[in-house]
Amino acid sequence: MNFILASLIALGALLDLVLGVSFLVDPALAGVDFGLTATGAMGLSAMRGDFTAFFLVSAIFMGWGAWKRRGDVLLPALMLFAIAFTGRLVNLFVVGTYDGWWQPITVEALHVAVLAFAMLQWRGNPA
């Protein structure tokens, strides 16, 4: 079970790593998949800085936590994805649905569920 859990977290970390690097290298192109368009240098800077930070911090802590089987190391990533999930849920109730709305909220919910489960499994004495 620990191997499967660590593998799921490592796969999520790899996804987040790719997304983070994508926003660093070409934020305008990466933003299209998120429904974002940058308006000038300020918008590109915000996308490059904020989205890169979100995904790379998540990837680093998830990768570290999966490698060491340490639940406490997963807390920063769990918090980031829990807050993102909450924001999407609020938007769902306030604004409503849009085409493909279920995809990002599902990815975030899966991150939260797997990370929370791993934190419970690996608390105290890991693996």
Side-chain angles (χ1 to χ4, degrees):
M1 178 56 128
N2 282 326
F3 177 77
I4 293 170
L5 200 50
S7 297
L8 288 173
I9 294 170
L11 286 173
L14 185 60
L15 169 68
D16 296 339
L17 177 68
V18 169
L19 288 170
V21 170
S22 296
F23 273 102
L24 182 63
V25 172
D26 191 354
L29 182 62
V32 170
D33 291 335
F34 286 77
L36 301 170
T37 50
T39 55
M42 184 178 181
L44 287 171
S45 176
M47 288 170 65
R48 182 170 274 132
D50 297 343
F51 282 88
T52 299
F54 179 93
F55 287 113
L56 289 185
V57 166
S58 295
I60 289 166
F61 282 96
M62 287 170 62
W64 181 17
W67 181 261
K68 297 292 186 176
R69 311 291 202 279
R70 285 187 48 192
D72 59 327
V73 175
L74 299 174
L75 184 60
L78 175 64
M79 291 177 66
L80 285 168
F81 279 101
I83 292 168
F85 175 81
T86 302
R88 289 197 191 271
L89 200 58
V90 167
N91 192 69
L92 185 62
F93 289 118
V94 173
V95 178
T97 63
Y98 55 89
D99 288 338
W101 67 271
W102 58 272
Q103 292 169 329
I105 201 169
T106 301
V107 170
E108 287 155 357
L110 287 172
H111 270 80
V112 169
V114 170
L115 292 171
F117 183 69
M119 287 180 73
L120 290 172
Q121 288 291 113
W122 296 338
R123 68 178 171 207
N125 193 7

